[in-house]
């Protein structure tokens, strides 16, 4: 009699575990829906009511209402994203699909160099398709509220690029990881040593190889503004010969600017939406902020932080991985630590550890952003334009200027708009007081 996937892939205890996870997942979804709904009003503490930080003073009533609804939906989708991804990996393990794919591929007699890439492709494809409903929901909501301007076909193309980049990355990393694990010893430490050049390499190629897969980058279209930005860079002691513009208006009404890359691949980038919606003073403040990241070596510190977090991740994850394989590996069909069937388990551990570590990484990132804000205003010598800039950024994305606690913990890699506007007000007040002092006193 031929053996089918369903014959013994789901014994009673596995069904019980899956049922418990589903019930827990549903309960969590309901709790987070209630939290997102009740914390959605876009408001500030009463002491700031009527000030420049109060959204009621710069949002229209319709925008304020939309921001409240959109904020609640965004927060719920975010808090669902982690457990949703975890559920996919649990299904692949406990449902027996990972074991079934491994065994089916083994019966083909193909060499491992072919079977393994196919197995990774199956895991990635299943994860991509099962996660797609949440992505579609987020895209649809963003389109409904006028944040996204991206046509459906363009959005699908971006998701396919995501899939391709993700597949190549997971294939390369997992192939090295399983090979190192199969050699035994302190494999987690060896993987950490290998991860160091990989992290630096990915930071280097991000702006010159990966980013152009999604958008078109060109020299800043306004030569006068570019020269003023370069003059500002020279004032900050930054050697730069061009500023990049990216055509994000085809995809969104939101605004952004950033510096990424490392060494010779470093780029200063402005979204074209930022150029269209902000005035020159506001743009120069944004650029001064980004130059602050460069001048204070935040990109290098980010690389060091990634290396340090990789060590923690591999140490904790390695311990959990060994324990889980000993405890439940046989039931999942995992025959050894280097068995390809364990790939969903490795991805599950990475996803969980990444999610739970967000409050720490976000706090570090937020402090860096605050320092860059202060540097930018100091470089310009004024906070003029900072308040209107943050107001316009908030309105363009219908952001919650004062997000609730859990959102700040898990999503707050920047200070809130409330905090940034208050910081600008404080800087301007202190700057005026300093100017009013008699010389020499």
């Amino acid at each position: 009699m031929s053996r089918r996937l369903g014959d013994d892939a789901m014994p009673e205890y596995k069904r019980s575990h899956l049922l418990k996870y589903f019930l827990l997942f549903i309960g969590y979804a309901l709790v987070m829906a209630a939290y997102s709904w009740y914390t959605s009003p876009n408001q500030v503490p009463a002491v700031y009511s009527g000030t420049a930080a109060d959204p009621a003073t710069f949002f229209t009533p319709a925008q304020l209402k939309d921001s409240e609804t959109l904020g609640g939906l965004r927060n719920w989708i975010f808090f669902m994203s982690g457990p949703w991804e975890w559920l996919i990996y649990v299904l692949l393990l406990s449902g027996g699909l990972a074991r079934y794919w491994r065994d089916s591929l083994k019966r083909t007699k193909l060499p491992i160099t072919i079977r393994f890439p196919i197995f990774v492709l199956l895991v990635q494809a299943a994860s991509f398709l099962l996660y797609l409903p949440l992505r579609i929901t987020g895209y649809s909501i963003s389109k409904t509220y006028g944040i996204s301007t991206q046509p459906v076909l363009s959005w699908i193309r971006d998701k396919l690029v995501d899939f391709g980049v993700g597949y190549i990355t997971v294939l390369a990393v997992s192939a090295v990881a399983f090979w190192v694990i199969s050699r035994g010893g302190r494999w987690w430490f060896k993987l950490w040593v290998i991860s160091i050049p990989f992290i630096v390499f990915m930071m280097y190629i991000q702006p010159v190889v990966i980013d152009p897969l999604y958008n078109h980058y060109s020299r800043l279209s306004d030569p006068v503004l570019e020269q003023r930005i370069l003059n500002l860079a020279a004032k900050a002691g930054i050697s730069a010969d061009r500023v990049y513009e990216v055509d994000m208006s085809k995809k969104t009404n939101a605004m952004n600017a950033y510096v990424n890359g490392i060494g010779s691949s470093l780029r200063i980038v402005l979204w074209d939406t930022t150029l269209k919606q902000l005035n020159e003073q506001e743009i120069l403040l944004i650029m001064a902020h980004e130059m602050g990241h460069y001048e204070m070596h935040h990109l290098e510190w980010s690389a060091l932080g990634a290396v340090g977090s990789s060590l923690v991740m591999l140490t904790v994850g390695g311990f959990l991985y060994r324990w889980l394989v000993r405890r439940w590996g046989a039931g999942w069909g995992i025959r050894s630590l280097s068995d390809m069937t364990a790939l969903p388990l490795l991805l599950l551990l990475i996803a969980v550890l990444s999610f739970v570590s967000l409050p720490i990484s976000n706090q570090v990132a937020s402090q860096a952003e605050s320092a860059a804000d202060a540097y930018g205003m100091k470089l310009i010598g004024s906070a003029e334009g900072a308040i209107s800039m943050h107001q316009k950024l908030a309105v363009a994305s219908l952001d919650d200027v004062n997000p609730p606690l859990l959102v700040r913990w898990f999503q707050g890699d920047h200070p809130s708009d409330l905090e940034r506007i208050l910081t600008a007000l404080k800087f301007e007040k202190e700057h005026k007081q300093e100017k009013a002092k008699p010389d020499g006193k």
Side-chain angles (χ1 to χ4, degrees), residues 24-41:
L24 184 62
F25 179 82
I26 292 171
Y28 170 83
L30 293 173
V31 169
M32 294 316 302
Y35 177 81
S36 299
W37 176 263
Y38 284 109
T39 60
S40 64

Side-chain angles (χ1 to χ4, degrees), residues 228-229 232-233 235-236 238 257 259 268 270 280-296 298 369 371-382 389:
R228 287 175 179 165
I229 292 173
L232 189 64
K235 180 181 177 182
I238 299 172
V259 174
I268 301 174
L270 268 169
E280 183 178 295
Q281 182 66 21
E282 293 164 343
I283 292 172
L284 289 176
L285 267 169
I286 288 180
M287 287 292 92
H289 167 99
E290 300 303 333
M291 292 170 192
H293 286 308
Y294 177 90
E295 185 66 17
M296 291 182 283
H298 287 162
E369 295 296 333
D373 280 347
Y375 177 93
M377 289 183 287
K378 185 176 180 181
L379 179 64
I380 296 289
S382 169
M389 174 189 67

Side-chain angles (χ1 to χ4, degrees), residues 86-363:
W86 308 341
L87 177 60
I88 292 170
Y89 298 134
V90 170
L91 285 172
L92 294 180
L93 290 168
S94 295
L97 272 175
R99 177 177 57 182
Y100 174 73
W101 289 334
R102 178 203 60 195
D103 293 344
S104 297
L105 287 169
K106 189 174 183 180
R107 287 194 291 269
T108 65
K109 307 298 184 181
L110 292 169
I112 188 65
T113 52
I114 296 178
R115 284 187 281 126
F116 184 72
I118 294 175
F119 179 83
V120 175
L121 180 61
L122 290 170
V123 171
Q124 285 296 99
S127 302
F128 178 82
L129 292 173
L130 291 172
Y131 197 84
L132 198 55
L134 205 60
R135 290 193 176 101
I136 292 173
T137 301
Y139 168 70
S140 300
I141 291 171
S142 187
K143 285 280 284 187
T144 299
Y145 285 90
I147 307 301
S148 175
T149 60
Q150 188 173 18
V152 173
L153 290 180
S154 173
W155 182 82
I156 292 173
R157 177 196 173 278
D158 280 358
K159 296 307 112 180
L160 291 176
V161 172
D162 283 344
F163 176 78
V165 172
Y167 170 68
I168 292 171
T169 304
V170 171
L171 176 60
V173 171
S174 60
V176 172
F178 281 128
W179 181 79
V180 172
I181 292 172
S182 70
R183 309 298 291 180
R186 295 185 177 181
W187 54 264
W188 56 270
F189 184 77
K190 297 174 186 175
L191 285 175
W192 174 68
V193 173
I194 294 172
S195 76
I196 297 174
F198 177 77
I199 290 169
V200 175
F201 174 72
M202 291 302 294
M203 289 187 69
Y204 182 85
I205 69 168
Q206 179 74 38
V208 294
V209 176
I210 297 176
D211 289 349
L213 295 174
Y214 296 89
N215 302 294
H216 175 67
Y217 291 78
S218 61
R219 189 160 191 159
L220 195 63
S221 56
D222 184 341
V224 175
L225 177 61
E226 181 183 44
Q227 189 56 53
R228 287 175 179 165
I229 292 173
L230 293 177
N231 290 342
L232 189 64
K235 180 181 177 182
I238 299 172
S239 176
D241 60 357
R242 67 171 56 185
V243 179
Y244 288 88
E245 178 180 334
V246 56
D247 58 343
M248 288 300 296
S249 57
K250 296 178 180 178
K251 298 181 179 181
T252 182
N253 285 317
M255 295 180 277
N256 196 15
Y258 60 88
V259 174
N260 70 344
I262 193 169
S264 61
S265 75
L266 185 139
R267 286 186 173 186
I268 301 174
V269 180
L270 268 169
W271 287 13
D272 63 341
T273 51
T274 306
L275 294 169
K276 294 173 182 177
Q277 299 180 57
L278 299 185
N279 61 42
E280 183 178 295
Q281 182 66 21
E282 293 164 343
I283 292 172
L284 289 176
L285 267 169
I286 288 180
M287 287 292 92
H289 167 99
E290 300 303 333
M291 292 170 192
H293 286 308
Y294 177 90
E295 185 66 17
M296 291 182 283
H297 303 288
H298 287 162
L299 295 173
E300 291 86 349
W301 282 110
S302 177
L304 287 174
V307 169
S309 63
S310 174
L311 177 59
V312 175
M313 183 87 69
L314 284 166
T315 303
V316 177
F319 170 79
L320 292 173
Y321 179 61
R322 293 189 297 271
W323 180 78
L324 288 168
V325 170
R326 285 197 304 268
R327 180 69 176 81
W328 286 295
W332 292 330
I334 300 174
R335 295 168 178 169
S336 69
L337 292 176
S338 57
D339 186 348
M340 69 173 73
T341 312
L343 177 60
L345 177 59
L346 286 174
L347 295 174
L348 173 63
L349 285 171
I350 292 171
V352 171
L353 291 174
S354 297
F355 188 83
V356 300
S357 65
L358 281 175
I360 297 174
S361 60
N362 285 340
Q363 178 64 24

